[in-house]
Amino acid sequence: MPLKLINIGFGNIVSASRIIAIVGPDAAPVKRMVQDARERGLLIDATCGRRTRAVLVMDSEHIVLSAVQPETITHRLEARELITDEEEEA
């Protein structure tokens, strides 16, 4: 099974198969989740100093912050899955 990587902005890449959820950063529970991950040393800030627009929850309990909109990351995931499906059919 090939490793599927997704660009989350500014040259930062994560494994698509390890993503559990992609959420916006504005809700109070998400803010608490980010703060908890920061305190536990499980926060990865991939924003390059920009505003956080998406929070990726990984299956390793890591939280990844991205400056790319959640919709954009989702479209990239869907496009990657479409390419993989076409390769399997060929």
Side-chain angles (χ1 to χ4, degrees), residues 23-32 34 51-55 69:
V23 296
D26 299 325
V30 176
K31 289 179 182 180
R32 283 192 299 270
V34 168
R51 180 174 167 231
T52 300
R53 296 182 183 250
V55 177
Q69 292 284 352

Side-chain angles (χ1 to χ4, degrees), residues 1-78:
M1 179 163 99
L3 182 64
K4 298 174 188 172
L5 301 173
I6 299 297
N7 183 341
I8 59 166
F10 305 107
N12 298 301
I13 299 170
V14 297
S15 175
S17 62
R18 307 288 307 260
I19 298 173
I20 294 175
I22 304 170
V23 296
D26 299 325
V30 176
K31 289 179 182 180
R32 283 192 299 270
M33 189 171 48
V34 168
Q35 186 59 37
D36 182 50
R38 180 175 281 120
E39 291 169 0
R40 293 175 32 210
L42 295 174
L43 182 70
I44 300 170
D45 187 350
T47 61
C48 293
R50 307 239 181 6
R51 180 174 167 231
T52 300
R53 296 182 183 250
V55 177
L56 288 77
V57 181
M58 310 301 282
D59 65 355
S60 61
E61 296 187 11
H62 284 84
I63 301 295
V64 181
L65 305 180
S66 173
V68 177
Q69 292 284 352
E71 295 82 11
T72 304
I73 297 172
T74 302
H75 288 295
R76 291 176 184 175
L77 276 170
E78 291 171 350

